[in-house]
Amino acid sequence: MGRTSLAIACALATSLAPLVPAGPAVASSAVIAKPDPGTGEVEGSSFVPGSFPNEEAEVLDLTNQERRKAGCQALRAEDTLHSSALEQSRYMAASQNLSHEGPGNSQPDDRMEEAGYDTSQGWGENVAYGQDTPDEVMDSWMKSTPHRKNILNCDFKALGVGVARAIDGNLYWTQNFGGQ
């Protein structure tokens, strides 16, 4: 019997001409360890140390392939967006909770700004967990209207991708989009 891949994801975006309404669109998921609201620390759980630069680069490449098919310009890799995306993926993996809310109840634009990215020209975030490969996560996102709209929003110019593994083995994925 084959392994069933989880296909849970959610999207959030805002821009000068938003394609996706601002506000959380959070899929339900089980919370294994709840983060402390004051510090964002997760007691009794942790992500598995390691990095996924090849997977992150492949998600960027696959995103740009989809954008080219739709007539959008390719997104450039942006270090500050990568930093905020990686922070969110690690936070979700540590808490084993899919959410746009991050450490200390932070929101995606807060984390992007804190990392040094100016969100005044718009931003978006896609998150997912349970997919084992970049192809699987992109397939999940492209089959979901809000995620697809973020990926194919021609107003976005930059992307950061973060991937982290939870102690249960699931990968948590984040795409942070920027409008400049």
Side-chain angles (χ1 to χ4, degrees):
M1 193 177 328
R3 181 176 180 275
T4 303
S5 177
L6 297 173
I8 298 176
C10 57
L12 185 64
T14 185
S15 69
L16 296 179
L19 291 174
V20 177
V26 180
S28 63
S29 62
V31 178
I32 305 303
K34 193 154 181 94
D36 179 293
T39 66
E41 295 296 315
V42 179
E43 198 172 304
S45 184
S46 165
F47 67 91
V48 177
S51 62
F52 298 87
N54 294 335
E55 289 81 354
E56 292 166 350
E58 190 171 343
V59 168
L60 173 63
D61 183 55
L62 292 168
T63 300
N64 282 332
Q65 288 176 32
E66 294 295 340
R67 289 174 62 83
R68 278 190 288 278
K69 288 190 252 181
C72 296
Q73 290 184 345
L75 297 170
R76 74 177 187 287
E78 171 61 49
D79 288 341
T80 55
L81 292 176
H82 171 257
S83 178
S84 65
L86 184 57
E87 174 188 351
Q88 184 62 10
S89 289
R90 287 178 173 170
Y91 179 78
M92 291 186 301
S95 63
Q96 295 182 325
N97 183 42
L98 181 71
S99 179
H100 290 290
E101 193 171 278
N105 301 318
S106 65
Q107 296 303 306
D109 57 328
D110 299 328
R111 293 186 300 276
M112 291 176 208
E113 291 276 349
E114 188 174 302
Y117 190 82
D118 179 2
T119 61
S120 65
Q121 297 299 309
W123 59 270
E125 178 173 84
N126 286 347
V127 295
Y129 86 97
Q131 299 84 1
D132 291 326
T133 67
D135 285 322
E136 287 178 13
V137 76
M138 282 300 298
D139 186 57
S140 293
W141 281 331
M142 290 303 291
K143 288 179 179 174
S144 163
T145 300
H147 301 96
R148 183 181 185 88
K149 285 182 178 179
N150 276 347
I151 291 166
L152 301 181
N153 183 338
C154 293
D155 291 336
F156 290 143
K157 309 293 182 217
L159 180 67
V161 179
V163 182
R165 185 178 306 280
I167 58 173
D168 67 1
N170 280 316
L171 291 177
Y172 284 76
W173 306 82
T174 304
Q175 285 183 309
N176 280 343
F177 299 88
Q180 56 179 6

